[in-house]
Amino acid sequence: MSRALDPLESAVGTDIPTQARAAAGARPVGNGQPMAPVFTAMAVLVLVVLSLTFARSAGVVAALWGAAGVAVAVWLRTSRGPLYDLSFGGLIAAGIAAGNLLGGNSTGLTVMFTAANMLEICLAVLLARRFAPTLNLASVQGACRFLLAAAVVAPIPAAAFAGGMLWWMTGADFLDSVQTWWFGHALSIAVLSSFGLALTKREVARYRVPARAIEAVVLLGGLTAVCYTVFSQQQMPIGFVTMPLLLLIAVRLRMLGVTAALVIISILAVGGSMRGFGPYAVAFEGADRALMAQLLVLFGYMPIMLVAALLEERDRFADRARLGQVRAEKASEAKSRLLANVAHEIKSPVGGVIGIGELWKGGQLGPVSATQAEMADMLVKTARQVEALAHDLLDVARAESGAVKVELRPTDVPGVLEDVRRTTALRPDAQGIRLEVVSEGDGLVALADSQRLTQVIANLASNAVKYGGAGGVVVFRASKVYDGVRIEVIDRGGGLSIEKQTQLFEPFNRLGLERSTVEGHGIGLALAKRLVELQGGSIGVTSAPGEGATFWVELPAA
């Protein structure tokens, strides 16, 4: 048999070396303990005696069989190879046989029960390793796989074998024996094995914090008191009162707390029902009372374990998301520092290139031919584009690092739009384009930083002229919306598809126009978005192919 994996391996999604697991403190309790099989065999012997003494329900079959659950849990948690499996199985078989003899069973029944129990335990271990190899109950899929394989399927062959043998040996009713065996052993594996698998060093370490330990004691103690009252003192159908407390335990203590609570409920519910107490004492008799208690735990309370698994899974995803956010923030900070450093390194030499180009073009460095003057003009123009890029990079870096300070004050929006219109009209590429300002209503005053707002609107206007100028008109519109002011820059160009709209505000994304004749670096809109958000506003676009584009900014009113 192959060694079972630690639950932590499933939680992180990768295999972890043994040394790393040990260092993480999540190695299973008992793994590496050479005396674990011996202690387990002794525990199994005691549980067998207790079950035969206090829990016999249908003839000689016990309604609650804790030995199977303990054996399966320890076997799965401590297995280290075929030789270990063989010795562990032999000791468990010896413990079961000794317990049967001490419990008063004959030699024939002892041999039969030992064979049936070992069949069940071995099958549960094999199925768990096959269908739930990570043994990770901290996920809904892992918990369902283990419960179905080990608790539901594994006891069936043993129940059929024991039922047939009891019918042949003692004349006991076959169906009653099978039914009692399956419910008792399925409950044992589902509850005790789950508790054993949830009991890891990592989980136990959480309760070293005094507040958490006190909370666990209070909740489990309260559950014990409630269950004792419901199942051992009263004869009213009030078993449902334990459900809110069990849900609270799932929320606060997660999987380890829920499995411990289910152990408490199982013992008190089945034991109390067999003694004639609890919600089924009046309506049912004998073995039927134990059966109803088993059904209550298996189908009434066990699903709460899946709730705990879901919460564990959510916590794990939340932790991963937080770690991812931290990494992303660190990467963003590093990128911002890089952008700022690059921008600073570019500005100084570019300034020198522009100065030399201007001197060359003006003839101050010597006679200049027409071709040289044209080349000097191209040099200055290109250098100024690089300088503008450096300024944009610096602004982006400052905005993302929070270094950009905005001074919010009442700002006359129509006045800002008129200033931007005049500035845009002076652009060479705006020749032949009609620029209009439309103000809808009075009191269009926004709470904004006038300098940064002008920078944002100028960027939108520049894009409208460059990419939508073919429509012949660009409109600047201001209007009231809810408790704010809406600014729109509208062009009649080719428009944008939905796919391109989703990529508009990504830095350095020019939507496939990198090789076009239209100048740009793809960071203007990303910077505009950040500047608008710093002013407490929002920015977006409304467009369709062939219908132009409307870029809008909404800011709070002053």
Side-chain angles (χ1 to χ4, degrees):
M1 296 182 183
S2 61
R3 179 190 166 278
L5 298 178
D6 189 274
L8 181 61
E9 294 179 6
S10 175
V12 300
T14 56
D15 291 335
I16 301 178
T18 303
Q19 295 84 353
R21 279 201 313 276
R27 195 168 179 172
V29 176
N31 194 6
Q33 300 294 331
M35 296 302 293
V38 177
F39 291 139
T40 305
M42 295 172 61
V44 165
L45 186 151
V46 173
L47 290 172
V48 169
V49 174
L50 290 175
S51 298
L52 293 177
T53 304
F54 299 106
R56 277 179 170 157
S57 175
V60 293
V61 181
L64 184 60
W65 190 258
V70 171
V72 169
V74 179
W75 199 339
L76 288 172
R77 295 294 300 276
T78 61
S79 178
R80 294 193 298 271
L83 184 60
Y84 179 91
D85 289 337
L86 186 61
S87 61
F88 189 96
L91 286 171
I92 295 300
I96 294 173
N100 273 275
L101 291 173
L102 292 174
N105 281 337
S106 65
T107 303
L109 287 176
T110 296
V111 173
M112 186 274 294
F113 279 135
T114 301
N117 275 279
M118 290 308 299
L119 170 64
E120 174 182 272
I121 293 171
C122 291
L123 187 59
V125 171
L126 288 171
L127 290 177
R129 289 174 176 174
R130 173 63 181 84
F131 296 103
T134 60
L135 303 180
N136 178 30
L137 300 185
S139 69
V140 175
Q141 184 182 29
C144 288
R145 281 174 169 265
F146 175 77
L147 291 176
L148 289 174
V152 175
V153 177
I156 294 176
F161 171 75
M165 291 300 294
L166 286 174
W167 171 80
W168 179 63
M169 297 171 67
T170 65
D173 184 88
F174 174 77
L175 291 180
D176 283 347
S177 298
V178 170
Q179 175 180 272
T180 304
W181 180 289
W182 186 87
F183 278 110
H185 290 239
L187 184 61
S188 169
I189 295 175
V191 173
L192 291 177
S193 295
S194 297
F195 174 68
L197 293 179
L199 190 65
T200 62
K201 287 184 178 180
R202 184 171 136 191
E203 289 296 323
V204 172
R206 295 181 180 180
Y207 295 94
R208 293 176 182 171
V209 179
R212 184 176 288 272
I214 293 172
E215 181 183 31
V217 170
V218 170
L219 289 177
L220 293 176
L223 179 69
T224 303
V226 170
C227 289
Y228 180 78
T229 302
V230 171
F231 296 110
S232 297
Q233 299 297 319
Q234 303 294 325
Q235 293 185 352
M236 296 182 293
I238 56 174
F240 62 88
V241 299
T242 60
M243 185 63 73
L245 191 54
L246 189 57
L247 282 171
L248 180 60
I249 290 174
V251 172
R252 299 299 303 168
L253 305 183
R254 296 298 194 264
M255 183 60 70
L256 182 58
V258 165
T259 52
L262 288 172
V263 172
I264 296 171
I265 292 175
S266 300
I267 294 173
L268 294 177
V270 176
S273 296
M274 293 182 65
R275 291 173 54 214
F277 296 101
Y280 309 113
V282 177
F284 300 93
E285 295 182 0
D288 291 337
R289 288 200 299 265
L291 175 62
M292 294 306 298
Q294 292 169 336
L295 288 172
L296 175 65
V297 176
L298 281 172
F299 300 106
Y301 298 135
M302 282 299 297
I304 303 301
M305 199 171 92
L306 300 182
V307 175
L310 183 62
L311 293 173
E312 293 267 18
E313 204 166 22
R314 185 204 64 176
D315 291 345
R316 188 166 65 252
F317 289 148
D319 290 340
R320 289 181 182 177
R322 282 193 292 269
L323 290 175
Q325 182 179 3
V326 170
R327 287 195 294 267
E329 289 174 352
K330 290 182 177 179
S332 179
E333 292 174 2
K335 181 197 68 176
S336 298
R337 290 194 298 270
L338 176 63
L339 289 177
N341 292 336
V342 169
H344 280 296
E345 293 297 328
I346 289 176
K347 286 175 64 177
S348 297
V350 165
V353 171
I354 293 174
I356 294 174
E358 294 285 0
L359 292 174
W360 183 19
K361 183 175 65 174
Q364 300 180 37
L365 300 180
V368 179
S369 65
T371 301
Q372 291 174 333
E374 182 180 357
M375 294 177 61
D377 186 62
M378 291 177 59
L379 175 65
V380 172
K381 182 179 179 181
T382 302
R384 291 197 182 281
Q385 291 176 357
V386 175
E387 184 182 41
L389 172 61
H391 282 292
D392 287 344
L393 288 174
L394 192 58
D395 283 339
V396 169
R398 288 173 176 171
E400 290 189 348
S401 64
V404 173
K405 304 300 181 182
V406 295
E407 297 182 6
L408 302 180
R409 60 185 65 183
T411 301
D412 178 41
V413 172
V416 171
L417 296 184
E418 180 61 29
D419 290 342
V420 174
R421 185 196 69 80
R422 292 175 180 174
T423 304
T424 305
L426 300 177
R427 294 172 55 95
D429 51 2
Q431 301 301 318
I433 300 176
R434 189 172 76 255
L435 306 176
E436 299 179 0
V437 175
V438 178
S439 300
E440 299 180 350
D442 298 325
L444 297 173
V445 180
L447 188 64
D449 184 311
S450 59
Q451 179 182 357
R452 295 302 181 183
L453 180 58
T454 300
Q455 183 179 357
V456 170
I457 304 304
N459 182 278
L460 299 181
S462 173
N463 286 343
V465 168
K466 288 190 295 185
Y467 301 107
V473 60
V474 173
V475 178
F476 302 87
R477 178 188 294 165
S479 60
K480 288 186 177 180
V481 53
Y482 304 113
D483 58 346
V485 178
R486 182 182 179 95
I487 303 169
E488 296 176 337
V489 179
I490 307 167
D491 65 66
R492 301 288 187 266
L496 297 165
S497 64
I498 297 297
E499 181 181 1
K500 290 185 176 182
Q501 291 179 42
T502 60
Q503 305 172 24
L504 265 179
F505 298 98
E506 296 177 359
F508 307 104
N509 190 340
R510 294 200 61 203
L511 307 181
L513 298 177
E514 291 82 357
R515 298 184 179 181
S516 68
T517 57
V518 180
E519 297 177 358
H521 309 293
I523 59 176
L525 288 178
L527 176 60
K529 183 176 185 294
R530 183 59 179 156
L531 292 177
V532 170
E533 290 173 347
L534 288 174
Q535 297 175 75
S538 57
I539 186 172
V541 62
T542 303
S543 181
E547 299 181 7
T550 299
F551 284 84
W552 54 266
V553 174
E554 291 184 359
L555 295 168

mmCIF file of all heavy atoms in Angstrom, residues 108-135:
data_model
loop_
_atom_site.group_PDB
_atom_site.id
_atom_site.type_symbol
_atom_site.label_atom_id
_atom_site.label_comp_id
_atom_site.label_asym_id
_atom_site.label_seq_id
_atom_site.Cartn_x
_atom_site.Cartn_y
_atom_site.Cartn_z
ATOM 1 N N GLY A 108 -15.946 -18.968 17.828
ATOM 2 C CA GLY A 108 -16.437 -18.889 16.451
ATOM 3 C C GLY A 108 -16.864 -17.487 16.080
ATOM 4 O O GLY A 108 -16.520 -16.979 15.001
ATOM 5 N N LEU A 109 -17.630 -16.827 16.963
ATOM 6 C CA LEU A 109 -18.049 -15.450 16.685
ATOM 7 C C LEU A 109 -16.853 -14.509 16.670
ATOM 8 O O LEU A 109 -16.799 -13.562 15.872
ATOM 9 C CB LEU A 109 -19.059 -14.992 17.744
ATOM 10 C CG LEU A 109 -20.459 -15.590 17.653
ATOM 11 C CD1 LEU A 109 -21.315 -15.120 18.822
ATOM 12 C CD2 LEU A 109 -21.118 -15.218 16.335
ATOM 13 N N THR A 110 -15.865 -14.762 17.528
ATOM 14 C CA THR A 110 -14.669 -13.914 17.554
ATOM 15 C C THR A 110 -13.926 -13.971 16.229
ATOM 16 O O THR A 110 -13.526 -12.937 15.668
ATOM 17 C CB THR A 110 -13.744 -14.354 18.701
ATOM 18 O OG1 THR A 110 -14.408 -14.138 19.948
ATOM 19 C CG2 THR A 110 -12.438 -13.572 18.670
ATOM 20 N N VAL A 111 -13.750 -15.176 15.707
ATOM 21 C CA VAL A 111 -13.053 -15.321 14.424
ATOM 22 C C VAL A 111 -13.844 -14.636 13.311
ATOM 23 O O VAL A 111 -13.290 -13.916 12.473
ATOM 24 C CB VAL A 111 -12.829 -16.814 14.100
ATOM 25 C CG1 VAL A 111 -12.269 -16.969 12.682
ATOM 26 C CG2 VAL A 111 -11.890 -17.438 15.113
ATOM 27 N N MET A 112 -15.156 -14.850 13.311
ATOM 28 C CA MET A 112 -15.989 -14.265 12.248
ATOM 29 C C MET A 112 -15.983 -12.741 12.329
ATOM 30 O O MET A 112 -15.801 -12.041 11.323
ATOM 31 C CB MET A 112 -17.417 -14.796 12.371
ATOM 32 C CG MET A 112 -18.327 -14.354 11.221
ATOM 33 S SD MET A 112 -19.115 -12.735 11.474
ATOM 34 C CE MET A 112 -20.174 -13.097 12.875
ATOM 35 N N PHE A 113 -16.182 -12.193 13.538
ATOM 36 C CA PHE A 113 -16.213 -10.738 13.684
ATOM 37 C C PHE A 113 -14.849 -10.120 13.365
ATOM 38 O O PHE A 113 -14.767 -9.038 12.775
ATOM 39 C CB PHE A 113 -16.640 -10.358 15.099
ATOM 40 C CG PHE A 113 -18.121 -10.400 15.316
ATOM 41 C CD1 PHE A 113 -18.656 -10.977 16.453
ATOM 42 C CD2 PHE A 113 -18.989 -9.853 14.395
ATOM 43 C CE1 PHE A 113 -20.019 -11.012 16.664
ATOM 44 C CE2 PHE A 113 -20.355 -9.877 14.593
ATOM 45 C CZ PHE A 113 -20.881 -10.470 15.722
ATOM 46 N N THR A 114 -13.787 -10.787 13.749
ATOM 47 C CA THR A 114 -12.448 -10.265 13.437
ATOM 48 C C THR A 114 -12.233 -10.205 11.928
ATOM 49 O O THR A 114 -11.723 -9.207 11.388
ATOM 50 C CB THR A 114 -11.367 -11.139 14.091
ATOM 51 O OG1 THR A 114 -11.564 -11.164 15.503
ATOM 52 C CG2 THR A 114 -9.978 -10.602 13.783
ATOM 53 N N ALA A 115 -12.640 -11.271 11.225
ATOM 54 C CA ALA A 115 -12.495 -11.286 9.764
ATOM 55 C C ALA A 115 -13.334 -10.200 9.121
ATOM 56 O O ALA A 115 -12.885 -9.488 8.209
ATOM 57 C CB ALA A 115 -12.896 -12.660 9.222
ATOM 58 N N ALA A 116 -14.591 -10.025 9.591
ATOM 59 C CA ALA A 116 -15.462 -9.003 9.012
ATOM 60 C C ALA A 116 -14.925 -7.602 9.268
ATOM 61 O O ALA A 116 -14.920 -6.735 8.376
ATOM 62 C CB ALA A 116 -16.875 -9.143 9.588
ATOM 63 N N ASN A 117 -14.441 -7.361 10.485
ATOM 64 C CA ASN A 117 -13.908 -6.032 10.799
ATOM 65 C C ASN A 117 -12.647 -5.725 10.008
ATOM 66 O O ASN A 117 -12.462 -4.604 9.525
ATOM 67 C CB ASN A 117 -13.619 -5.941 12.298
ATOM 68 C CG ASN A 117 -14.841 -5.559 13.103
ATOM 69 O OD1 ASN A 117 -15.193 -4.392 13.195
ATOM 70 N ND2 ASN A 117 -15.496 -6.553 13.682
ATOM 71 N N MET A 118 -11.770 -6.705 9.862
ATOM 72 C CA MET A 118 -10.552 -6.457 9.097
ATOM 73 C C MET A 118 -10.860 -6.246 7.624
ATOM 74 O O MET A 118 -10.205 -5.440 6.952
ATOM 75 C CB MET A 118 -9.578 -7.624 9.276
ATOM 76 C CG MET A 118 -8.966 -7.696 10.676
ATOM 77 S SD MET A 118 -8.232 -6.123 11.219
ATOM 78 C CE MET A 118 -6.953 -5.876 9.980
ATOM 79 N N LEU A 119 -11.856 -6.959 7.101
ATOM 80 C CA LEU A 119 -12.287 -6.726 5.726
ATOM 81 C C LEU A 119 -12.738 -5.283 5.554
ATOM 82 O O LEU A 119 -12.376 -4.604 4.586
ATOM 83 C CB LEU A 119 -13.420 -7.693 5.362
ATOM 84 C CG LEU A 119 -14.149 -7.431 4.037
ATOM 85 C CD1 LEU A 119 -13.183 -7.603 2.855
ATOM 86 C CD2 LEU A 119 -15.348 -8.367 3.892
ATOM 87 N N GLU A 120 -13.522 -4.817 6.487
ATOM 88 C CA GLU A 120 -14.038 -3.450 6.417
ATOM 89 C C GLU A 120 -12.926 -2.412 6.550
ATOM 90 O O GLU A 120 -12.848 -1.445 5.763
ATOM 91 C CB GLU A 120 -15.063 -3.259 7.531
ATOM 92 C CG GLU A 120 -15.586 -1.840 7.665
ATOM 93 C CD GLU A 120 -16.546 -1.742 8.827
ATOM 94 O OE1 GLU A 120 -17.744 -1.985 8.602
ATOM 95 O OE2 GLU A 120 -16.098 -1.452 9.952
ATOM 96 N N ILE A 121 -12.053 -2.607 7.530
ATOM 97 C CA ILE A 121 -10.991 -1.621 7.775
ATOM 98 C C ILE A 121 -10.023 -1.561 6.598
ATOM 99 O O ILE A 121 -9.663 -0.473 6.125
ATOM 100 C CB ILE A 121 -10.255 -1.970 9.087
ATOM 101 C CG1 ILE A 121 -11.187 -1.775 10.281
ATOM 102 C CG2 ILE A 121 -9.001 -1.111 9.236
ATOM 103 C CD1 ILE A 121 -10.631 -2.305 11.584
ATOM 104 N N CYS A 122 -9.607 -2.722 6.106
ATOM 105 C CA CYS A 122 -8.674 -2.740 4.965
ATOM 106 C C CYS A 122 -9.312 -2.119 3.730
ATOM 107 O O CYS A 122 -8.663 -1.357 2.990
ATOM 108 C CB CYS A 122 -8.236 -4.172 4.675
ATOM 109 S SG CYS A 122 -7.183 -4.902 5.950
ATOM 110 N N LEU A 123 -10.583 -2.431 3.495
ATOM 111 C CA LEU A 123 -11.262 -1.871 2.325
ATOM 112 C C LEU A 123 -11.412 -0.355 2.460
ATOM 113 O O LEU A 123 -11.244 0.388 1.481
ATOM 114 C CB LEU A 123 -12.634 -2.531 2.163
ATOM 115 C CG LEU A 123 -13.405 -2.178 0.893
ATOM 116 C CD1 LEU A 123 -12.600 -2.549 -0.349
ATOM 117 C CD2 LEU A 123 -14.757 -2.891 0.872
ATOM 118 N N ALA A 124 -11.712 0.127 3.665
ATOM 119 C CA ALA A 124 -11.839 1.573 3.878
ATOM 120 C C ALA A 124 -10.519 2.277 3.605
ATOM 121 O O ALA A 124 -10.477 3.342 2.969
ATOM 122 C CB ALA A 124 -12.306 1.856 5.300
ATOM 123 N N VAL A 125 -9.411 1.679 4.067
ATOM 124 C CA VAL A 125 -8.095 2.281 3.838
ATOM 125 C C VAL A 125 -7.755 2.287 2.347
ATOM 126 O O VAL A 125 -7.279 3.293 1.798
ATOM 127 C CB VAL A 125 -7.023 1.525 4.651
ATOM 128 C CG1 VAL A 125 -5.622 2.005 4.256
ATOM 129 C CG2 VAL A 125 -7.249 1.729 6.139
ATOM 130 N N LEU A 126 -8.002 1.167 1.680
ATOM 131 C CA LEU A 126 -7.705 1.086 0.244
ATOM 132 C C LEU A 126 -8.541 2.068 -0.560
ATOM 133 O O LEU A 126 -8.034 2.765 -1.446
ATOM 134 C CB LEU A 126 -7.951 -0.343 -0.246
ATOM 135 C CG LEU A 126 -6.941 -1.406 0.194
ATOM 136 C CD1 LEU A 126 -7.435 -2.798 -0.190
ATOM 137 C CD2 LEU A 126 -5.583 -1.146 -0.426
ATOM 138 N N LEU A 127 -9.832 2.153 -0.273
ATOM 139 C CA LEU A 127 -10.708 3.060 -1.016
ATOM 140 C C LEU A 127 -10.353 4.521 -0.741
ATOM 141 O O LEU A 127 -10.398 5.364 -1.646
ATOM 142 C CB LEU A 127 -12.166 2.792 -0.658
ATOM 143 C CG LEU A 127 -12.754 1.469 -1.167
ATOM 144 C CD1 LEU A 127 -14.186 1.292 -0.676
ATOM 145 C CD2 LEU A 127 -12.721 1.414 -2.693
ATOM 146 N N ALA A 128 -10.015 4.826 0.503
ATOM 147 C CA ALA A 128 -9.626 6.202 0.826
ATOM 148 C C ALA A 128 -8.360 6.598 0.080
ATOM 149 O O ALA A 128 -8.249 7.705 -0.447
ATOM 150 C CB ALA A 128 -9.431 6.346 2.334
ATOM 151 N N ARG A 129 -7.392 5.671 0.023
ATOM 152 C CA ARG A 129 -6.151 5.977 -0.700
ATOM 153 C C ARG A 129 -6.382 6.088 -2.201
ATOM 154 O O ARG A 129 -5.685 6.828 -2.882
ATOM 155 C CB ARG A 129 -5.116 4.888 -0.417
ATOM 156 C CG ARG A 129 -4.568 4.919 0.994
ATOM 157 C CD ARG A 129 -3.661 3.744 1.245
ATOM 158 N NE ARG A 129 -3.042 3.811 2.563
ATOM 159 C CZ ARG A 129 -2.290 2.858 3.074
ATOM 160 N NH1 ARG A 129 -2.059 1.760 2.360
ATOM 161 N NH2 ARG A 129 -1.758 2.983 4.271
ATOM 162 N N ARG A 130 -7.352 5.362 -2.686
ATOM 163 C CA ARG A 130 -7.618 5.378 -4.132
ATOM 164 C C ARG A 130 -8.431 6.596 -4.542
ATOM 165 O O ARG A 130 -8.101 7.254 -5.535
ATOM 166 C CB ARG A 130 -8.367 4.091 -4.524
ATOM 167 C CG ARG A 130 -8.845 4.057 -5.968
ATOM 168 C CD ARG A 130 -7.679 4.096 -6.949
ATOM 169 N NE ARG A 130 -8.133 4.079 -8.317
ATOM 170 C CZ ARG A 130 -8.521 5.153 -9.009
ATOM 171 N NH1 ARG A 130 -8.471 6.354 -8.437
ATOM 172 N NH2 ARG A 130 -8.915 5.039 -10.266
ATOM 173 N N PHE A 131 -9.461 6.924 -3.802
ATOM 174 C CA PHE A 131 -10.389 7.975 -4.228
ATOM 175 C C PHE A 131 -10.225 9.283 -3.466
ATOM 176 O O PHE A 131 -10.747 10.308 -3.894
ATOM 177 C CB PHE A 131 -11.836 7.487 -4.092
ATOM 178 C CG PHE A 131 -12.164 6.336 -4.995
ATOM 179 C CD1 PHE A 131 -12.245 5.049 -4.502
ATOM 180 C CD2 PHE A 131 -12.361 6.541 -6.348
ATOM 181 C CE1 PHE A 131 -12.535 3.974 -5.335
ATOM 182 C CE2 PHE A 131 -12.658 5.480 -7.188
ATOM 183 C CZ PHE A 131 -12.743 4.191 -6.687
ATOM 184 N N ALA A 132 -9.525 9.277 -2.349
ATOM 185 C CA ALA A 132 -9.256 10.518 -1.612
ATOM 186 C C ALA A 132 -7.808 10.498 -1.139
ATOM 187 O O ALA A 132 -7.529 10.531 0.062
ATOM 188 C CB ALA A 132 -10.214 10.662 -0.433
ATOM 189 N N PRO A 133 -6.854 10.435 -2.068
ATOM 190 C CA PRO A 133 -5.446 10.204 -1.693
ATOM 191 C C PRO A 133 -4.845 11.313 -0.847
ATOM 192 O O PRO A 133 -3.905 11.070 -0.100
ATOM 193 C CB PRO A 133 -4.739 10.089 -3.048
ATOM 194 C CG PRO A 133 -5.620 10.817 -4.011
ATOM 195 C CD PRO A 133 -7.021 10.597 -3.521
ATOM 196 N N THR A 134 -5.346 12.546 -0.954
ATOM 197 C CA THR A 134 -4.764 13.632 -0.164
ATOM 198 C C THR A 134 -5.258 13.640 1.271
ATOM 199 O O THR A 134 -4.679 14.313 2.122
ATOM 200 C CB THR A 134 -5.099 14.990 -0.798
ATOM 201 O OG1 THR A 134 -6.519 15.149 -0.839
ATOM 202 C CG2 THR A 134 -4.532 15.080 -2.206
ATOM 203 N N LEU A 135 -6.358 12.902 1.538
ATOM 204 C CA LEU A 135 -6.969 12.881 2.878
ATOM 205 C C LEU A 135 -7.259 14.283 3.366
ATOM 206 O O LEU A 135 -7.142 14.596 4.555
ATOM 207 C CB LEU A 135 -6.053 12.161 3.867
ATOM 208 C CG LEU A 135 -5.667 10.717 3.512
ATOM 209 C CD1 LEU A 135 -4.757 10.139 4.578
ATOM 210 C CD2 LEU A 135 -6.887 9.848 3.318
#
